[in-house]
């Protein structure tokens, strides 16, 4: 089992667009092989900071999903000019 932490900073005023975009990603991710669960968290102290925690059976399955056409179709970060900086991902692997 692996958990991916994806940290996003969005441009001020783009929070609602980012949240809608995440819901589209969540719809696509639910059918991805190896996906277990994903949730979006918003920083209460900094409204433009978000964390997505996504659980997968294997990291390779996550990597395949973010390179997939399905993911590309539902992410419009560049087109909508949503992000203020490049996302940062952290991998947390189970040591069982």
């Amino acid at each position: 089992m692996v958990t991916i932490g994806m940290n996003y900073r969005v441009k001020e005023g783009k929070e609602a667009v980012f949240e809608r975009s995440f819901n589209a990603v969540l719809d696509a991710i639910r059918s991805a092989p190896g996906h277990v669960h994903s949730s979006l968290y918003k920083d209460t102290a900094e409204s433009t900071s978000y964390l997505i925690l996504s659980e997968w059976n294997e990291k390779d399955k996550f990597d395949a999903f973010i390179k997939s056409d399905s993911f590309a179709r539902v992410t419009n970060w560049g087109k909508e000019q949503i992000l203020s900086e490049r996302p940062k991902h952290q991998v947390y692997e189970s040591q069982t």
Side-chain angles (χ1 to χ4, degrees), residues 3-78:
T3 300
I4 312 294
M6 297 165 275
N7 296 282
Y8 289 87
R9 291 202 180 275
V10 301
K11 292 181 178 181
E12 194 168 326
K14 295 289 187 171
E15 297 90 345
V17 176
F18 178 81
E19 291 169 23
R20 281 193 306 272
S21 295
F22 170 75
N23 287 328
V25 171
L26 189 56
D27 287 343
I29 207 171
R30 284 186 176 125
S31 63
H35 178 256
V36 177
H37 179 78
S38 292
S39 296
L40 174 67
Y41 299 91
K42 187 173 187 175
D43 189 332
T44 59
E46 192 172 334
S47 66
T48 60
S49 178
Y50 291 87
L51 170 66
I52 297 170
L53 289 179
S54 190
E55 295 179 30
W56 294 79
N57 290 332
E58 301 170 24
K59 184 176 180 299
D60 291 346
K61 301 290 186 181
F62 167 77
D63 292 339
F65 174 72
I66 63 170
K67 293 175 184 173
S68 71
D69 290 339
S70 177
F71 180 72
R73 281 193 300 273
V74 294
T75 53
N76 55 358
W77 317 129

